[in-house]
């Protein structure tokens, strides 16, 4: 299988991957870099479990062809916490507000929330619900998730 070399910034560090041209960003993150925080749920961009941030925008990495990552800046859930391990305010808010639930969708939810709060640090509830509309939670619902994002937004004020 034909391989390509793709270079980008991953969680603040410059990286290069030699991967099959047909790989997605999700497969590259999980299998080449062994970053397993982004999950493969549906594999067709419907559930948002694979959400990462590419150049400031939340994207479904299961649909993102890895050649498109060339020169981009990519943040995964592994890159959200501080270098010393201190949790990001969004991560703290999810833990403190029981927004984690079973945890499978959590990394995608946090990445969508981070993309929102990076662009709009004071969102209203509609903004929050719209930002996570591509992320499915199959546990109990979205109330605690929305409250977690509201709490994180308040922490940044």
């Amino acid at each position: 299988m034909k391989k390509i070399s793709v270079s980008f910034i991953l969680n603040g560090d410059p990286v290069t991957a030699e991967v099959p041209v047909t790989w997605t960003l999700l497969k590259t993150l999980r299998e080449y870099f062994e970053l397993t925080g982004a999950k493969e749920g549906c594999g067709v961009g419907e559930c948002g479990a694979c959400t990462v941030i590419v150049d400031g925008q939340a994207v479904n990495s299961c649909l993102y062809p890895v050649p498109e990552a060339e020169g981009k800046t990519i943040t995964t859930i592994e890159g959200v916490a501080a270098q010393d391990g201190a949790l990001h305010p969004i991560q703290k808010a999810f833990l403190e507000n029981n927004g984690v639930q079973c945890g499978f969708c959590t990394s995608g939810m946090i990445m969508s929330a981070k993309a929102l709060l990076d662009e709009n640090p004071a969102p209203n509830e509609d903004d929050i619900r719209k930002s996570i509309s591509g992320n499915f939670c199959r546990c109990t619902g979205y109330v605690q998730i929305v409250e977690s994002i509201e709490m994180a937004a308040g922490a940044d004020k």
Side-chain angles (χ1 to χ4, degrees):
M1 180 172 288
K2 181 180 176 187
K3 289 190 173 186
I4 61 167
S5 177
V6 182
S7 297
F8 51 91
I9 303 297
L10 178 59
N11 295 331
D13 297 319
V15 297
T16 299
E18 302 281 338
V19 296
V21 68
T22 57
W23 278 21
T24 64
L25 179 57
L26 177 63
K27 188 167 182 131
T28 302
L29 293 171
R30 292 183 60 84
E31 295 189 20
Y32 190 89
F33 293 106
E34 299 180 346
L35 297 175
T36 57
K39 307 291 187 233
E40 181 163 1
C42 66
V44 294
E46 295 289 329
C47 74
C50 65
T51 303
V52 300
I53 298 174
V54 177
D55 285 349
Q57 300 295 311
V59 303
N60 291 319
S61 62
C62 71
L63 297 178
Y64 201 92
V66 72
E68 297 296 317
E70 178 69 32
K72 304 278 174 73
T73 297
I74 297 166
T75 304
T76 68
I77 191 70
E78 291 88 349
V80 172
Q83 298 258 336
D84 66 359
L87 295 179
H88 186 280
I90 299 170
Q91 293 172 307
K92 287 181 187 173
F94 268 71
L95 287 174
E96 292 171 8
N97 208 34
N98 297 318
V100 173
Q101 302 175 101
C102 86
F104 190 82
C105 72
T106 305
S107 64
M109 291 283 185
I110 288 174
M111 298 312 292
S112 291
K114 184 174 185 328
L116 169 68
L117 296 179
D118 287 349
E119 184 176 311
N120 176 6
N124 61 34
E125 184 176 336
D126 288 343
D127 296 332
I128 291 169
R129 289 189 177 277
K130 182 178 177 187
S131 76
I132 60 170
S133 63
N135 299 84
F136 293 148
C137 172
R138 292 177 175 87
C139 292
T140 60
Y142 298 86
V143 172
Q144 293 165 313
I145 292 168
V146 170
E147 289 174 353
S148 297
I149 299 168
E150 288 174 332
M151 181 184 290
D156 291 336
K157 291 179 183 172

